[in-house]
Amino acid sequence: MKRIVALFSTALICLGLSAKGETVLNLIPYPQSVQLGKGSFKVAGVTFNGDPALDSRSREVISQFASRIELVSGKTNSVAFPAGLDAVVAKGKAKGFLFMLDKSLGEEAYTIEITPSKAMVKASAFPGFFYAIQTLYQLLPVQIYGKHPVSEVSWRIPAIIIRDEPRFRHRGFMVDSGRHFFSVDEIKKVIDMMAIYKMNRLHWHLTEDQGWRFESKKYPRLTEIGAFRNGTMIGKDNTTNDGIRYGGYYTQDELRDVVAYAEKKNITIIPEIDLPGHMQAALAAYPNLGCTGGPYEVSTTWGIKKEVLCAGKEATFTFLEDILTELTDIFPSEYIHIGGDECPRQRWKECPDCQQRIAELGIKSDDKHSAEDYLQNYVTARIQAFLNSKGRKIIGWDEILEGKLAEGATVMSWRGVKGGLKAAQMGYDVIMSPNTYMYFDYYQSADKDKEPLAIGHCLPLEKVYSYEPYTDLPAEACPHILGVQANLWTEFIGTNDYLEYMMLPRAAALSEVQWSPAAAKDWESFRVRIKAAPAVYAILGYNFRPLDF
Ligand code: ACM
Ligand code: ZN
């Protein structure tokens, strides 16, 4: 990190572009390697030439970048993908922006080499070009994110060489649309911000006790009944109800639209159908799927609910397979999240169907687990086999590790880090989203009275930044850590403004955990770089928590 700090001080002396005559490279997440050169490259009114072999998504993102520069600089530029560009580049005669394929780079890697006469960007595929352009945005004056011509700033990028690729392949962010509903446009705004921070997986929590948000053609009552609740508890008092009917859901067309939107930003959406617990809204719609047969209501209070899917009835499995079939038709993701957290056993213990299933399967309790614990393993394994038959893999919350878990499942560690560390050492792939570092529904400061209502714990920016997923993990298990994710649960987050407040600026710190090499992470450096972020958020119209420093 000394090297990076040294770079800043060189920049401070050489370029002197900010108010105090200082230049700071406001790059977040910080790239793998950065070398500042001498001079700068003028971006306004130049040519944008790309390799003729580039695919349509790469061409589109390059053209959008060129249009944005044209708009903010007020100077016309041109975009072309001419045959024979290779030869011109090889002769050293090319000028302007050049976007060239380099198949030696990893899919998400890129290089940027900027001199006063040209800006060369190389990647092997769309993701690398997309991320290179996010970095170029951050090297330009912040007004690049705006939609108006700005003549008071210098439309130049410093001469620089950047080589970059992500540390982790799963760089996730989870939004809970179950507790509170966020519109398609609001979800797209989350996606936009994720893209700026080079995240690539939106985990979309679509079903909850308090609301079912995924339109099913086969089970229409899920949205007719399950998507709406008769009021919501007020604050933290579960004896209250605000009396306001609340709900909403996404149609299949809307979901397909969001999938396509995200794909253009290299973001895969991993949908979650949380099962067999957290299903009270589904039970309100289809009471035959519960152990008692109901009646049930879409929950109006937060907390863990005892009403769960009946694991004894075949109808439950027919339902889940039908829903997952509809879901996989919409979401092309290799991974489907099947939840698995917080499933109380009380109903299963009392239910003749569940007990009959336990007897038929010959399930026995032991000193570690009850028969009902093993019954959840049976549910997980059946759903896993079904999804595998469709070419998909499962992710589940770390409860799925309790008892027996089939090979090929990925464990999402949320109850601290221990479940993830254990799973990785057992040979399972793991995504680390420990509540201790990655629950963005927690307060952002210890001074809770000054913050909007949140779940009790405190997770300030610096704590998010400090997370190191390999801590306490033997080297041989590290490759099982697919990545890191933050989760934004929404019990107390009823508006989009508040959602953004809880996301920002913590998503910036998260991105550095996900993307930057461990050796490049440095809180003091981040504290300097993050100071430019509020201006970006403001221009793009995001709410955010102000910085403490
Ligand atoms: C969880 O926070 N219940 C996964
Ligand atoms: Zn049952």
Side-chain angles (χ1 to χ4, degrees):
M1 197 61 211
K2 286 220 172 56
R3 184 179 46 79
I4 292 166
V5 173
L7 268 177
F8 282 132
S9 35
T10 318
L12 305 183
I13 297 156
C14 294
L15 293 158
L17 298 178
S18 80
K20 282 197 202 153
E22 296 172 349
T23 289
V24 174
L25 294 174
N26 295 318
L27 299 173
I28 296 178
Y30 206 78
Q32 198 174 71
S33 98
V34 178
Q35 240 179 296
L36 260 182
K38 286 212 169 72
S40 61
F41 170 74
K42 178 168 77 77
V43 301
V46 301
T47 57
F48 287 68
N49 281 326
D51 204 309
L54 288 179
D55 64 5
S56 62
R57 275 196 303 173
S58 303
R59 287 174 183 230
E60 191 178 341
V61 69
I62 291 164
S63 301
Q64 283 166 350
F65 179 52
S67 302
R68 178 52 65 100
I69 289 183
E70 189 166 291
L71 178 73
V72 295
S73 71
K75 296 240 165 66
T76 309
N77 56 34
S78 63
V79 183
F81 302 91
L85 184 62
D86 266 5
V88 183
V89 169
K91 282 192 197 136
K93 296 213 166 131
K95 290 204 179 334
F97 274 104
L98 299 157
F99 294 87
M100 304 302 291
L101 280 167
D102 179 347
K103 292 290 179 190
S104 72
L105 295 170
E107 194 187 52
E108 296 191 308
Y110 66 91
T111 64
I112 293 174
E113 288 195 37
I114 293 174
T115 66
S117 66
K118 67 174 185 289
M120 173 71 78
V121 176
K122 288 185 184 167
S124 66
F126 163 74
F129 288 110
F130 184 80
Y131 292 138
I133 287 172
Q134 302 317 306
T135 299
L136 291 170
Y137 266 84
Q138 293 185 352
L139 289 168
L140 282 159
V142 69
Q143 291 86 347
I144 187 70
Y145 291 101
K147 295 211 169 84
H148 307 288
V150 179
S151 54
E152 302 80 51
V153 301
S154 170
W155 289 109
R156 289 179 168 272
I157 302 184
I160 203 164
I161 299 175
I162 293 177
R163 295 183 200 294
D164 203 9
E165 66 181 330
R167 179 177 179 197
F168 291 110
R169 66 185 153 110
H170 179 108
R171 302 183 301 282
F173 192 77
M174 189 215 79
V175 176
D176 169 11
S177 284
R179 269 52 172 258
H180 280 102
F181 179 77
F182 300 92
S183 71
V184 164
D185 285 344
E186 289 163 351
I187 296 296
K188 285 182 177 174
K189 246 181 117 188
V190 170
I191 289 171
D192 293 345
M193 187 50 69
M194 289 174 65
I196 287 175
Y197 287 132
K198 300 187 173 82
M199 297 179 199
N200 64 355
R201 301 283 183 267
L202 172 66
H203 167 180
W204 203 357
H205 188 79
L206 286 169
T207 63
E208 254 313 329
D209 297 309
Q210 296 83 7
W212 182 281
R213 310 289 174 221
F214 165 72
E215 181 195 34
S216 161
K217 306 279 189 199
K218 201 154 183 180
Y219 296 84
R221 289 167 60 85
L222 286 172
T223 46
E224 285 162 15
I225 308 273
F228 298 90
R229 61 178 178 254
N230 287 323
T232 304
M233 64 188 267
I234 300 166
K236 292 191 175 171
D237 183 352
N238 67 7
T239 65
T240 57
N241 185 316
D242 66 10
I244 304 166
R245 186 171 151 81
Y246 180 91
Y249 65 92
Y250 308 104
T251 67
Q252 295 203 353
D253 283 347
E254 285 173 333
L255 294 166
R256 286 199 171 87
D257 173 53
V258 179
V259 167
Y261 184 86
E263 194 189 322
K264 290 191 176 178
K265 296 179 183 246
N266 196 42
I267 292 173
T268 301
I269 300 186
I270 299 177
E272 179 185 354
I273 301 291
D274 200 345
L275 65 96
H278 289 280
M279 272 283 175
Q280 198 172 307
L283 294 179
Y286 294 96
N288 63 310
L289 302 175
C291 289
T292 65
Y296 308 99
E297 65 160 9
V298 180
S299 184
T300 60
T301 57
W302 317 128
I304 300 171
K305 306 297 166 193
K306 67 173 186 286
E307 304 300 350
V308 302
L309 291 177
C310 176
K313 298 191 177 84
E314 264 317 286
T316 295
F317 293 93
T318 307
F319 166 76
L320 289 174
E321 291 183 4
D322 287 343
I323 289 297
L324 291 169
T325 299
E326 288 190 78
L327 192 83
T328 49
D329 281 349
I330 293 165
F331 293 96
S333 167
E334 178 188 11
Y335 291 94
I336 301 294
H337 203 301
I338 62 156
D341 59 322
E342 299 175 327
C343 180
R345 312 296 189 215
Q346 186 176 336
R347 290 298 189 210
W348 290 358
K349 282 192 201 300
E350 297 158 357
C351 169
D353 293 317
C354 286
Q355 291 305 315
Q356 190 182 336
R357 176 83 72 186
I358 285 171
E360 277 168 11
L361 293 168
I363 294 175
K364 300 269 181 294
S365 62
D366 55 31
D367 52 354
K368 288 213 181 89
H369 299 287
S370 67
E372 290 74 23
D373 292 342
Y374 289 118
L375 187 59
Q376 180 165 347
N377 294 154
Y378 167 78
V379 175
T380 304
R382 242 181 106 164
I383 297 305
Q384 180 179 11
F386 177 74
L387 284 167
N388 289 168
S389 77
K390 295 187 156 296
R392 310 302 179 97
K393 297 180 183 167
I394 64 159
I395 302 174
W397 299 111
D398 58 45
E399 284 93 334
I400 66 168
L401 197 63
E402 290 166 3
K404 298 191 196 100
L405 178 62
E407 252 178 62
T410 295
V411 174
M412 187 167 270
S413 187
W414 76 275
R415 293 174 297 177
V417 299
K418 61 180 188 315
L421 299 182
K422 181 174 166 204
Q425 292 175 77
M426 289 168 75
Y428 294 101
D429 284 346
V430 169
I431 296 161
M432 296 303 284
S433 61
N435 57 345
T436 38
Y437 295 89
M438 291 293 152
Y439 266 37
F440 282 16
D441 53 337
Y442 290 6
Y443 284 103
Q444 298 191 63
S445 122
D447 197 354
K448 294 175 185 172
D449 293 343
K450 298 218 174 89
E451 298 289 329
L453 186 70
I455 297 254
H457 311 278
C458 172
L459 180 61
L461 188 65
E462 186 170 2
K463 177 108 194 254
V464 176
Y465 193 84
S466 73
Y467 181 53
E468 169 42 55
Y470 289 170
T471 302
D472 296 332
L473 198 60
E476 65 278 10
C478 291
H480 283 298
I481 305 292
L482 302 185
V484 178
Q485 174 174 304
N487 298 331
L488 190 28
W489 301 103
T490 61
E491 281 92 339
F492 300 108
I493 299 174
T495 66
N496 186 57
D497 263 5
Y498 189 9
L499 188 84
E500 292 176 356
Y501 180 93
M502 297 304 259
M503 181 180 189
L504 300 172
R506 289 188 290 195
L510 165 66
S511 78
E512 216 138 294
V513 178
Q514 296 170 322
W515 179 284
S516 303
K521 266 183 71 204
D522 182 305
W523 170 247
E524 290 307 321
S525 153
F526 181 80
R527 265 169 67 100
V528 176
R529 288 176 284 124
I530 191 66
K531 285 184 184 159
V536 176
Y537 303 153
I539 288 183
L540 290 170
Y542 286 85
N543 191 27
F544 59 94
R545 184 186 185 279
L547 297 170
D548 287 321
F549 38 86

